[in-house]
Amino acid sequence: MTDYPTNPEAVRDFLSGLEYSDAPVDAAELPPPLRAEDTVTVTTSLRIPLELHQRVKKAAEQRNVTMSALIRDWIELELAALENDQPISRADALRALAALHPLRQSA
């Protein structure tokens, strides 16, 4: 693994050692192409209230996962639900629930 510079002098030395060219790169020098199973991830900044952050952090700790992993899982679950669902209005949902008969209690 390459050691990257950690101070201004080392950065200058590192940069001065780089060579730039418009010449085509030999195919043998190219990195291998991404495979289908390779996952490219991106960093997304998200602003949430402190209380919500604390609740998510606690939920992640209880599941022994990182907050990022938990949030990714929740996003995937919600997107799957949305893709397989036919959204209805809140008013329609409330009407449908109001029309249901309550469960009968056994004596």
Side-chain angles (χ1 to χ4, degrees):
M1 181 169 163
T2 303
D3 290 327
Y4 292 103
T6 58
N7 60 55
E9 295 80 23
V11 170
R12 273 193 294 279
D13 292 343
F14 177 78
L15 292 176
S16 66
L18 296 177
E19 295 180 17
Y20 301 95
S21 170
D22 290 332
V25 177
D26 184 14
E29 296 178 44
L30 293 173
L34 288 177
R35 302 173 310 218
E37 61 270 13
D38 292 337
T39 302
V40 176
T41 61
V42 296
T43 301
T44 302
S45 178
L46 176 66
R47 291 190 163 289
I48 58 175
L50 176 60
E51 180 200 355
L52 181 57
H53 179 272
Q54 291 169 337
R55 290 171 56 203
V56 172
K57 184 175 181 180
K58 183 178 178 182
E61 288 170 354
Q62 291 171 341
R63 291 166 174 80
N64 292 322
V65 297
T66 64
M67 286 180 62
S68 290
L70 183 60
I71 292 170
R72 274 193 306 274
D73 287 348
W74 286 346
I75 291 171
E76 287 179 14
L77 285 170
E78 184 60 25
L79 288 175
L82 288 173
E83 290 164 0
N84 297 320
D85 197 9
Q86 296 178 0
I88 61 172
S89 72
R90 182 177 177 171
D92 288 342
L94 291 173
R95 272 193 295 279
L97 288 173
L100 295 176
H101 298 290
L103 292 175
R104 296 184 182 183
Q105 299 291 328
S106 58

